[in-house]
Amino acid sequence: MKWDTLDEEPCSLSRTVAVVGDRWTLLILRECFLRVRRFEAFQSSLQITRHLLSERLKKLVRFGILRRVPYSEAPKRYEYILTQKGLDLYPIIMAMVHWGDTHMGDERGRPLLHEHKTCGKLFDPVMVCSECGEVLHAKQVHVHAGPGREEAVG
Amino acid sequence: MKWDTLDEEPCSLSRTVAVVGDRWTLLILRECFLRVRRFEAFQSSLQITRHLLSERLKKLVRFGILRRVPYSEAPKRYEYILTQKGLDLYPIIMAMVHWGDTHMGDERGRPLLHEHKTCGKLFDPVMVCSECGEVLHAKQVHVHAGPGREEAVG
DNA sequence: GGCTATAGTTCTAAAATAGAACTGTCAAAC
DNA sequence: GTTTGACAGTTCTATTTTAGAACTATAGCC
């Protein structure tokens, strides 16, 4: 497959996969949501090779998920900060964390707990229908071809 | 990194990434949710090499995400069907589709539309707090170390 | 000048992937 | 009863990606 044009496929999943569909990118984003911002910090917490880190950060900047913000003029140093587009990846990350909590846990219990500042409680993320608010399940969803792909699928 | 032990890391995201954190696996899962079940069907719709498809399906079976169910005795033929653990990946896939719809769209419009059979409407998936039902945003969440990782993080 | 911190780049060896051909089983067609 | 075709893989080689370590560059501090 030509991964370099995956972001132009008539499929929103493919387009997302083009951006965040590799292991390092997802782990880098986890660090971003944990407020990590600097090259050395990413490198030492992830044990990623510097080469790949450099490349992945560039890619995330290119796709508008991170902004490269100077925090020192001489020498020039930059921090990588989530844009709104990047912050909007939160449901993906949280869905993955929740699935891991549910299905890949061990006897030690959850690695992290999440507190919702708005209500003050420890919570799990739940995916609901924007129209009726009910919890979503795969079997209750029917797929239609949209304007971006008129041939029927599924 | 030792990707082969990523599923034992004290981090639910890492564990999930160990299972679904590569491009082909995510695309294969998309097909699963579109009711694709057979080797040839995956291969022809994804243009994945047979080698990799074989390997990824084995991995998904090994992790309990797909079941290999015989549908013909002679010759022996199998279908790959989502288990409950696999069906529970739905929020991840939908979160990715929704992000792609929102941030990677083009002038043609959405490739697919989703209808919630329960309420009959076209919908978007929304992630909410299990406790108060409010829509979740990254900045409203505070992270605590859980029993599975007592050293503080973030 | 020598040491440290930060943010990368460059190099070679090892691993993963692409692309195509091949194997084996059986049913149906000729 | 031989050929064709569908299905579900496996095997092979060439190319691409990644790992791991070393190197470069800028500047502050002693």
Side-chain angles (χ1 to χ4, degrees):
Chain A
M1 169 161 295
K2 0 86 240 135
W3 295 117
D4 45 328
T5 57
L6 193 60
D7 57 322
E8 293 156 20
E9 293 273 304
C11 165
S12 295
L13 183 75
S14 295
R15 292 176 190 167
T16 302
V17 166
V19 183
V20 301
D22 75 280
R23 295 187 279 211
W24 282 128
T25 299
L26 287 164
L27 295 176
I28 289 168
L29 287 169
R30 172 191 74 187
E31 298 300 308
C32 291
F33 281 109
L34 291 172
R35 318 292 198 268
V36 171
R37 305 178 156 193
R38 298 187 183 179
F39 191 92
E40 294 293 320
F42 287 111
Q43 206 275 320
S44 70
S45 75
L46 291 173
Q47 297 295 101
I48 183 176
T49 65
R50 310 175 73 73
H51 182 108
L52 282 194
L53 176 57
S54 173
E55 192 163 18
R56 291 293 192 277
L57 290 172
K58 270 183 202 151
K59 181 173 139 189
L60 288 169
V61 169
R62 184 154 34 84
F63 276 114
I65 288 168
L66 297 177
R67 253 177 318 142
R68 195 154 168 272
V69 180
Y71 72 92
S72 150
E73 279 307 318
K76 278 270 185 190
R77 300 250 184 280
Y78 298 90
E79 289 188 320
Y80 295 89
I81 303 195
L82 287 164
T83 61
Q84 187 58 50
K85 186 172 174 182
L87 287 167
D88 286 351
L89 290 166
Y90 195 63
I92 298 176
I93 301 291
M94 282 303 279
M96 297 184 85
V97 168
H98 182 56
W99 188 88
D101 279 339
T102 307
H103 290 290
M104 301 291 285
D106 59 26
E107 68 293 334
R108 292 175 291 178
R110 298 188 179 193
L112 296 181
L113 301 174
H114 298 271
E115 177 190 334
H116 192 206
K117 290 183 197 168
T118 313
C119 71
K121 295 188 184 146
L122 296 177
F123 72 97
D124 285 322
V126 177
M127 184 161 277
V128 302
C129 169
S130 59
E131 303 307 307
C132 70
E134 288 289 303
V135 176
L136 279 176
H137 297 288
K139 300 198 171 180
Q140 295 161 356
V141 174
H142 185 68
V143 176
H144 302 269
R149 155 143 53 147
E150 280 307 343
E151 332 83 272
V153 172
Chain B
M1 169 161 297
K2 4 82 236 138
W3 295 117
D4 44 330
T5 56
L6 194 60
D7 56 322
E8 295 157 19
E9 292 273 304
C11 165
S12 295
L13 183 75
S14 295
R15 292 177 190 168
T16 302
V17 165
V19 183
V20 302
D22 75 280
R23 297 187 277 212
W24 282 128
T25 298
L26 287 164
L27 295 175
I28 288 168
L29 286 169
R30 171 191 75 188
E31 298 300 306
C32 291
F33 281 108
L34 291 172
R35 316 298 199 261
V36 171
R37 305 178 156 193
R38 298 186 183 180
F39 191 93
E40 294 293 320
F42 287 111
Q43 206 275 319
S44 72
S45 75
L46 291 174
Q47 297 296 100
I48 183 176
T49 65
R50 310 176 73 72
H51 183 108
L52 282 195
L53 176 57
S54 172
E55 193 162 19
R56 291 293 192 274
L57 290 173
K58 271 182 203 152
K59 181 174 139 188
L60 288 169
V61 169
R62 184 153 36 82
F63 276 114
I65 287 167
L66 297 177
R67 253 178 318 142
R68 196 155 166 270
V69 179
Y71 73 91
S72 150
E73 278 306 317
K76 277 271 184 189
R77 298 247 186 281
Y78 299 91
E79 289 187 321
Y80 295 89
I81 302 195
L82 286 164
T83 61
Q84 187 57 51
K85 186 172 174 182
L87 287 167
D88 286 351
L89 290 166
Y90 195 64
I92 298 176
I93 301 291
M94 283 303 279
M96 296 183 86
V97 168
H98 181 57
W99 188 86
D101 279 340
T102 307
H103 291 290
M104 301 291 285
D106 58 26
E107 68 293 333
R108 291 175 292 178
R110 296 188 180 193
L112 296 181
L113 301 174
H114 298 271
E115 177 190 334
H116 192 207
K117 290 183 197 169
T118 313
C119 72
K121 297 188 182 145
L122 296 177
F123 73 97
D124 285 323
V126 178
M127 184 160 278
V128 302
C129 169
S130 59
E131 303 308 306
C132 69
E134 288 289 302
V135 176
L136 279 176
H137 298 287
K139 300 196 171 181
Q140 295 160 356
V141 173
H142 185 69
V143 175
H144 303 268
R149 156 143 54 148
E150 281 307 342
E151 331 83 272
V153 172

CSV table of all heavy atoms in Angstrom, one decimal, chain A residues 20 25-37 42 65-66 80-94 97 112 114, chain B residues 13 99 137-143 153-154:
chain,number,residue,atom,x,y,z
A,20,VAL,N,-2.2,8.9,12.8
A,20,VAL,CA,-1.9,8.4,14.2
A,20,VAL,C,-1.7,6.9,14.2
A,20,VAL,O,-1.7,6.3,15.2
A,20,VAL,CB,-2.9,8.8,15.2
A,20,VAL,CG1,-3.0,10.3,15.3
A,20,VAL,CG2,-4.3,8.2,14.9
A,25,THR,N,3.7,7.1,17.2
A,25,THR,CA,2.9,8.3,17.2
A,25,THR,C,1.9,8.2,18.4
A,25,THR,O,1.7,9.2,19.1
A,25,THR,CB,2.2,8.4,15.9
A,25,THR,OG1,3.2,8.6,14.9
A,25,THR,CG2,1.3,9.7,15.9
A,26,LEU,N,1.3,7.1,18.6
A,26,LEU,CA,0.3,7.0,19.7
A,26,LEU,C,0.9,7.2,21.0
A,26,LEU,O,0.4,7.8,21.9
A,26,LEU,CB,-0.5,5.7,19.6
A,26,LEU,CG,-1.4,5.6,18.4
A,26,LEU,CD1,-1.9,4.2,18.1
A,26,LEU,CD2,-2.7,6.4,18.7
A,27,LEU,N,2.1,6.6,21.2
A,27,LEU,CA,2.8,6.8,22.5
A,27,LEU,C,3.3,8.2,22.7
A,27,LEU,O,3.2,8.7,23.8
A,27,LEU,CB,4.0,5.8,22.6
A,27,LEU,CG,3.6,4.3,22.6
A,27,LEU,CD1,4.8,3.4,22.6
A,27,LEU,CD2,2.7,4.0,23.8
A,28,ILE,N,3.7,8.8,21.6
A,28,ILE,CA,4.1,10.3,21.7
A,28,ILE,C,2.9,11.1,22.1
A,28,ILE,O,3.0,12.0,23.0
A,28,ILE,CB,4.7,10.8,20.4
A,28,ILE,CG1,6.1,10.1,20.1
A,28,ILE,CG2,4.8,12.3,20.3
A,28,ILE,CD1,6.6,10.3,18.7
A,29,LEU,N,1.7,10.8,21.5
A,29,LEU,CA,0.5,11.6,21.9
A,29,LEU,C,0.1,11.3,23.3
A,29,LEU,O,-0.3,12.3,24.0
A,29,LEU,CB,-0.6,11.2,20.9
A,29,LEU,CG,-0.5,11.8,19.5
A,29,LEU,CD1,-1.5,11.1,18.6
A,29,LEU,CD2,-0.6,13.3,19.5
A,30,ARG,N,0.3,10.1,23.8
A,30,ARG,CA,0.0,9.9,25.2
A,30,ARG,C,0.9,10.8,26.1
A,30,ARG,O,0.3,11.5,27.0
A,30,ARG,CB,0.4,8.4,25.6
A,30,ARG,CG,0.3,8.2,27.1
A,30,ARG,CD,0.9,6.8,27.5
A,30,ARG,NE,2.4,6.9,27.4
A,30,ARG,CZ,3.2,5.8,27.6
A,30,ARG,NH1,2.6,4.6,27.8
A,30,ARG,NH2,4.5,5.9,27.5
A,31,GLU,N,2.1,11.0,25.7
A,31,GLU,CA,3.0,11.9,26.5
A,31,GLU,C,2.5,13.3,26.4
A,31,GLU,O,2.6,14.1,27.3
A,31,GLU,CB,4.4,11.7,26.0
A,31,GLU,CG,5.0,10.3,26.2
A,31,GLU,CD,5.1,9.9,27.7
A,31,GLU,OE1,5.6,10.7,28.5
A,31,GLU,OE2,4.6,8.8,28.0
A,32,CYS,N,2.1,13.7,25.2
A,32,CYS,CA,1.6,15.0,25.0
A,32,CYS,C,0.4,15.3,26.0
A,32,CYS,O,0.3,16.4,26.6
A,32,CYS,CB,1.1,15.2,23.6
A,32,CYS,SG,2.4,15.2,22.4
A,33,PHE,N,-0.5,14.4,26.1
A,33,PHE,CA,-1.7,14.6,27.0
A,33,PHE,C,-1.2,14.5,28.4
A,33,PHE,O,-2.0,15.0,29.3
A,33,PHE,CB,-2.7,13.5,26.7
A,33,PHE,CG,-3.6,13.9,25.5
A,33,PHE,CD1,-3.5,13.2,24.3
A,33,PHE,CD2,-4.4,15.0,25.5
A,33,PHE,CE1,-4.2,13.5,23.2
A,33,PHE,CE2,-5.2,15.3,24.4
A,33,PHE,CZ,-5.1,14.6,23.2
A,34,LEU,N,-0.1,14.0,28.7
A,34,LEU,CA,0.5,14.0,30.1
A,34,LEU,C,1.4,15.2,30.3
A,34,LEU,O,2.2,15.3,31.2
A,34,LEU,CB,1.2,12.7,30.4
A,34,LEU,CG,0.4,11.4,30.5
A,34,LEU,CD1,1.2,10.2,30.6
A,34,LEU,CD2,-0.6,11.5,31.7
A,35,ARG,N,1.3,16.2,29.4
A,35,ARG,CA,1.9,17.5,29.5
A,35,ARG,C,3.4,17.4,29.1
A,35,ARG,O,4.2,18.3,29.6
A,35,ARG,CB,1.8,18.1,30.8
A,35,ARG,CG,0.4,18.0,31.5
A,35,ARG,CD,-0.6,18.9,30.7
A,35,ARG,NE,-1.8,19.2,31.5
A,35,ARG,CZ,-2.9,18.4,31.5
A,35,ARG,NH1,-3.0,17.3,30.8
A,35,ARG,NH2,-4.0,18.8,32.2
A,36,VAL,N,3.9,16.4,28.5
A,36,VAL,CA,5.3,16.4,28.0
A,36,VAL,C,5.4,17.2,26.8
A,36,VAL,O,4.5,17.2,25.9
A,36,VAL,CB,5.8,14.9,27.7
A,36,VAL,CG1,7.1,14.9,27.0
A,36,VAL,CG2,5.8,14.1,29.0
A,37,ARG,N,6.4,18.1,26.6
A,37,ARG,CA,6.5,19.0,25.5
A,37,ARG,C,7.9,19.1,24.8
A,37,ARG,O,8.0,19.7,23.8
A,37,ARG,CB,6.2,20.4,26.0
A,37,ARG,CG,4.9,20.4,26.7
A,37,ARG,CD,4.6,21.8,27.3
A,37,ARG,NE,3.1,21.9,27.4
A,37,ARG,CZ,2.4,23.0,27.6
A,37,ARG,NH1,3.1,24.1,27.7
A,37,ARG,NH2,1.1,23.0,27.7
A,42,PHE,N,10.5,13.6,25.8
A,42,PHE,CA,9.9,12.5,25.0
A,42,PHE,C,10.9,11.4,24.9
A,42,PHE,O,10.5,10.2,25.1
A,42,PHE,CB,9.5,13.0,23.6
A,42,PHE,CG,8.3,13.9,23.5
A,42,PHE,CD1,8.4,15.2,23.1
A,42,PHE,CD2,7.0,13.4,23.8
A,42,PHE,CE1,7.3,16.0,23.0
A,42,PHE,CE2,5.9,14.2,23.6
A,42,PHE,CZ,6.1,15.5,23.3
A,65,ILE,N,-1.1,18.8,14.2
A,65,ILE,CA,-1.5,18.2,15.5
A,65,ILE,C,-0.7,18.8,16.6
A,65,ILE,O,-1.2,19.0,17.7
A,65,ILE,CB,-1.4,16.7,15.4
A,65,ILE,CG1,-2.5,16.2,14.5
A,65,ILE,CG2,-1.4,16.0,16.8
A,65,ILE,CD1,-2.4,14.8,14.1
A,66,LEU,N,0.6,19.1,16.3
A,66,LEU,CA,1.4,19.8,17.3
A,66,LEU,C,1.9,21.1,16.7
A,66,LEU,O,2.0,21.2,15.5
A,66,LEU,CB,2.7,18.9,17.6
A,66,LEU,CG,2.4,17.6,18.3
A,66,LEU,CD1,3.7,16.9,18.5
A,66,LEU,CD2,1.7,17.8,19.6
A,80,TYR,N,6.8,21.3,21.8
A,80,TYR,CA,5.8,20.8,21.0
A,80,TYR,C,4.5,20.7,21.7
A,80,TYR,O,4.3,20.0,22.8
A,80,TYR,CB,6.1,19.3,20.5
A,80,TYR,CG,7.4,19.4,19.6
A,80,TYR,CD1,8.7,19.3,20.1
A,80,TYR,CD2,7.2,19.6,18.2
A,80,TYR,CE1,9.8,19.4,19.3
A,80,TYR,CE2,8.4,19.6,17.4
A,80,TYR,CZ,9.6,19.5,18.0
A,80,TYR,OH,10.7,19.6,17.2
A,81,ILE,N,3.5,21.5,21.3
A,81,ILE,CA,2.3,21.7,22.0
A,81,ILE,C,1.1,21.3,21.2
A,81,ILE,O,1.0,21.6,20.0
A,81,ILE,CB,2.1,23.2,22.5
A,81,ILE,CG1,3.4,23.5,23.3
A,81,ILE,CG2,0.8,23.4,23.2
A,81,ILE,CD1,3.3,24.7,24.1
A,82,LEU,N,0.1,20.6,21.8
A,82,LEU,CA,-1.1,20.1,21.0
A,82,LEU,C,-1.9,21.3,20.6
A,82,LEU,O,-2.2,22.3,21.3
A,82,LEU,CB,-1.9,19.3,22.0
A,82,LEU,CG,-1.4,17.9,22.3
A,82,LEU,CD1,-2.2,17.3,23.5
A,82,LEU,CD2,-1.6,17.0,21.1
A,83,THR,N,-2.3,21.3,19.3
A,83,THR,CA,-3.2,22.3,18.7
A,83,THR,C,-4.6,21.8,19.1
A,83,THR,O,-4.8,20.7,19.7
A,83,THR,CB,-3.1,22.3,17.2
A,83,THR,OG1,-3.4,21.0,16.7
A,83,THR,CG2,-1.7,22.7,16.8
A,84,GLN,N,-5.6,22.5,18.7
A,84,GLN,CA,-7.0,22.1,18.9
A,84,GLN,C,-7.2,20.8,18.2
A,84,GLN,O,-7.9,19.8,18.7
A,84,GLN,CB,-8.0,23.1,18.4
A,84,GLN,CG,-9.5,22.8,18.8
A,84,GLN,CD,-9.6,22.5,20.3
A,84,GLN,OE1,-9.2,23.4,21.1
A,84,GLN,NE2,-10.2,21.4,20.7
A,85,LYS,N,-6.7,20.7,16.9
A,85,LYS,CA,-6.8,19.4,16.2
A,85,LYS,C,-6.2,18.3,17.0
A,85,LYS,O,-6.7,17.2,17.0
A,85,LYS,CB,-6.1,19.6,14.8
A,85,LYS,CG,-6.3,18.5,13.8
A,85,LYS,CD,-5.7,18.9,12.5
A,85,LYS,CE,-5.7,17.7,11.5
A,85,LYS,NZ,-5.1,18.1,10.2
A,86,GLY,N,-5.1,18.5,17.6
A,86,GLY,CA,-4.5,17.5,18.4
A,86,GLY,C,-5.3,17.2,19.7
A,86,GLY,O,-5.4,16.0,20.0
A,87,LEU,N,-5.8,18.2,20.3
A,87,LEU,CA,-6.6,18.0,21.5
A,87,LEU,C,-7.8,17.2,21.2
A,87,LEU,O,-8.3,16.4,22.0
A,87,LEU,CB,-7.0,19.3,22.1
A,87,LEU,CG,-5.9,20.1,22.9
A,87,LEU,CD1,-6.4,21.5,23.2
A,87,LEU,CD2,-5.5,19.4,24.2
A,88,ASP,N,-8.3,17.3,20.0
A,88,ASP,CA,-9.5,16.6,19.5
A,88,ASP,C,-9.2,15.1,19.4
A,88,ASP,O,-10.1,14.3,19.2
A,88,ASP,CB,-10.0,17.1,18.2
A,88,ASP,CG,-10.8,18.4,18.4
A,88,ASP,OD1,-11.0,18.8,19.6
A,88,ASP,OD2,-11.1,19.1,17.4
A,89,LEU,N,-7.9,14.7,19.5
A,89,LEU,CA,-7.6,13.3,19.4
A,89,LEU,C,-7.9,12.6,20.8
A,89,LEU,O,-7.8,11.4,20.9
A,89,LEU,CB,-6.1,13.1,19.1
A,89,LEU,CG,-5.7,13.4,17.6
A,89,LEU,CD1,-4.2,13.5,17.5
A,89,LEU,CD2,-6.3,12.3,16.7
A,90,TYR,N,-8.2,13.4,21.8
A,90,TYR,CA,-8.4,12.9,23.1
A,90,TYR,C,-9.4,11.7,23.2
A,90,TYR,O,-9.1,10.7,23.8
A,90,TYR,CB,-8.9,14.0,24.1
A,90,TYR,CG,-8.8,13.6,25.5
A,90,TYR,CD1,-7.6,13.4,26.1
A,90,TYR,CD2,-9.9,13.5,26.3
A,90,TYR,CE1,-7.5,13.0,27.4
A,90,TYR,CE2,-9.8,13.2,27.7
A,90,TYR,CZ,-8.6,13.0,28.2
A,90,TYR,OH,-8.5,12.6,29.5
A,91,PRO,N,-10.5,11.7,22.5
A,91,PRO,CA,-11.4,10.6,22.6
A,91,PRO,C,-10.8,9.3,22.1
A,91,PRO,O,-11.0,8.2,22.6
A,91,PRO,CB,-12.6,11.0,21.7
A,91,PRO,CG,-12.6,12.5,21.8
A,91,PRO,CD,-11.2,12.9,21.8
A,92,ILE,N,-9.9,9.4,21.1
A,92,ILE,CA,-9.2,8.2,20.5
A,92,ILE,C,-8.3,7.6,21.6
A,92,ILE,O,-8.4,6.4,21.9
A,92,ILE,CB,-8.4,8.5,19.3
A,92,ILE,CG1,-9.3,9.0,18.2
A,92,ILE,CG2,-7.6,7.3,18.8
A,92,ILE,CD1,-8.6,9.5,16.9
A,93,ILE,N,-7.5,8.5,22.2
A,93,ILE,CA,-6.6,8.0,23.2
A,93,ILE,C,-7.4,7.5,24.4
A,93,ILE,O,-7.0,6.4,24.9
A,93,ILE,CB,-5.7,9.2,23.7
A,93,ILE,CG1,-4.9,9.8,22.6
A,93,ILE,CG2,-4.8,8.8,24.9
A,93,ILE,CD1,-3.8,9.0,22.0
A,94,MET,N,-8.4,8.2,24.8
A,94,MET,CA,-9.2,7.7,26.0
A,94,MET,C,-9.9,6.4,25.7
A,94,MET,O,-10.0,5.5,26.5
A,94,MET,CB,-10.2,8.7,26.4
A,94,MET,CG,-9.5,9.9,27.2
A,94,MET,SD,-8.7,9.3,28.7
A,94,MET,CE,-10.0,9.1,29.9
A,97,VAL,N,-7.2,3.8,26.1
A,97,VAL,CA,-6.9,3.5,27.5
A,97,VAL,C,-8.0,2.7,28.1
A,97,VAL,O,-7.7,1.8,28.9
A,97,VAL,CB,-6.7,4.9,28.2
A,97,VAL,CG1,-6.7,4.7,29.7
A,97,VAL,CG2,-5.4,5.6,27.7
A,112,LEU,N,-3.5,4.0,35.7
A,112,LEU,CA,-3.9,5.4,35.9
A,112,LEU,C,-5.4,5.5,36.2
A,112,LEU,O,-6.2,4.7,35.7
A,112,LEU,CB,-3.6,6.3,34.7
A,112,LEU,CG,-2.1,6.4,34.2
A,112,LEU,CD1,-2.0,7.3,33.0
A,112,LEU,CD2,-1.3,7.0,35.4
A,114,HIS,N,-8.6,8.4,36.2
A,114,HIS,CA,-9.0,9.7,35.6
A,114,HIS,C,-10.1,10.4,36.4
A,114,HIS,O,-11.1,9.8,36.7
A,114,HIS,CB,-9.4,9.4,34.2
A,114,HIS,CG,-8.3,8.9,33.3
A,114,HIS,ND1,-7.4,9.6,32.6
A,114,HIS,CD2,-8.0,7.6,33.1
A,114,HIS,CE1,-6.6,8.8,32.0
A,114,HIS,NE2,-6.9,7.6,32.2
B,13,LEU,N,-2.6,2.3,27.6
B,13,LEU,CA,-2.5,2.7,26.2
B,13,LEU,C,-1.5,1.8,25.6
B,13,LEU,O,-1.7,1.3,24.5
B,13,LEU,CB,-2.1,4.2,26.1
B,13,LEU,CG,-2.1,4.6,24.6
B,13,LEU,CD1,-3.4,4.8,24.0
B,13,LEU,CD2,-1.3,5.9,24.4
B,99,TRP,N,-12.9,11.6,14.1
B,99,TRP,CA,-11.8,12.6,14.0
B,99,TRP,C,-11.4,12.9,12.5
B,99,TRP,O,-11.2,14.0,12.1
B,99,TRP,CB,-10.6,12.2,14.8
B,99,TRP,CG,-9.5,13.2,14.9
B,99,TRP,CD1,-9.4,14.2,15.8
B,99,TRP,CD2,-8.3,13.3,14.0
B,99,TRP,NE1,-8.2,14.9,15.6
B,99,TRP,CE2,-7.6,14.4,14.5
B,99,TRP,CE3,-7.9,12.6,12.9
B,99,TRP,CZ2,-6.4,14.8,13.9
B,99,TRP,CZ3,-6.7,13.1,12.3
B,99,TRP,CH2,-6.0,14.1,12.8
B,137,HIS,N,-13.5,16.7,27.8
B,137,HIS,CA,-12.4,17.4,27.1
B,137,HIS,C,-11.1,17.2,27.9
B,137,HIS,O,-11.2,17.1,29.1
B,137,HIS,CB,-12.7,18.9,27.1
B,137,HIS,CG,-13.9,19.2,26.3
B,137,HIS,ND1,-14.0,19.1,24.9
B,137,HIS,CD2,-15.2,19.6,26.7
B,137,HIS,CE1,-15.2,19.5,24.5
B,137,HIS,NE2,-16.0,19.8,25.5
B,138,ALA,N,-10.0,17.1,27.2
B,138,ALA,CA,-8.8,16.8,27.7
B,138,ALA,C,-8.4,17.7,28.9
B,138,ALA,O,-7.9,17.2,30.0
B,138,ALA,CB,-7.7,16.9,26.7
B,139,LYS,N,-8.7,18.9,28.8
B,139,LYS,CA,-8.3,19.9,29.9
B,139,LYS,C,-9.1,19.8,31.2
B,139,LYS,O,-8.7,20.3,32.2
B,139,LYS,CB,-8.4,21.3,29.3
B,139,LYS,CG,-7.5,21.5,28.1
B,139,LYS,CD,-7.1,22.9,27.8
B,139,LYS,CE,-6.1,22.9,26.7
B,139,LYS,NZ,-5.6,24.2,26.3
B,140,GLN,N,-10.2,19.0,31.1
B,140,GLN,CA,-11.0,18.9,32.3
B,140,GLN,C,-10.7,17.6,33.1
B,140,GLN,O,-11.5,17.2,33.9
B,140,GLN,CB,-12.5,18.9,32.0
B,140,GLN,CG,-13.0,20.2,31.4
B,140,GLN,CD,-14.3,20.1,30.6
B,140,GLN,OE1,-14.8,19.0,30.5
B,140,GLN,NE2,-14.8,21.2,30.2
B,141,VAL,N,-9.7,16.9,32.6
B,141,VAL,CA,-9.4,15.6,33.2
B,141,VAL,C,-8.1,15.7,34.0
B,141,VAL,O,-7.1,16.2,33.5
B,141,VAL,CB,-9.3,14.5,32.2
B,141,VAL,CG1,-8.8,13.2,32.8
B,141,VAL,CG2,-10.7,14.3,31.5
B,142,HIS,N,-8.1,15.2,35.2
B,142,HIS,CA,-6.8,15.1,36.0
B,142,HIS,C,-6.5,13.6,36.1
B,142,HIS,O,-7.3,12.8,36.4
B,142,HIS,CB,-7.0,15.8,37.3
B,142,HIS,CG,-5.8,15.9,38.1
B,142,HIS,ND1,-4.7,16.6,37.8
B,142,HIS,CD2,-5.4,15.2,39.2
B,142,HIS,CE1,-3.7,16.5,38.6
B,142,HIS,NE2,-4.1,15.6,39.5
B,143,VAL,N,-5.2,13.4,36.0
B,143,VAL,CA,-4.7,12.0,36.0
B,143,VAL,C,-4.1,11.7,37.4
B,143,VAL,O,-3.3,12.4,37.8
B,143,VAL,CB,-3.7,11.8,34.9
B,143,VAL,CG1,-3.1,10.4,34.9
B,143,VAL,CG2,-4.4,12.0,33.5
B,153,VAL,N,2.7,10.0,37.8
B,153,VAL,CA,3.0,10.3,36.4
B,153,VAL,C,2.2,11.5,36.0
B,153,VAL,O,1.1,11.8,36.5
B,153,VAL,CB,2.6,9.1,35.5
B,153,VAL,CG1,2.7,9.6,34.0
B,153,VAL,CG2,3.4,7.9,35.7
B,154,GLY,N,2.8,12.3,35.1
B,154,GLY,CA,2.0,13.5,34.6
B,154,GLY,C,1.8,14.5,35.6
B,154,GLY,O,0.8,15.2,35.5
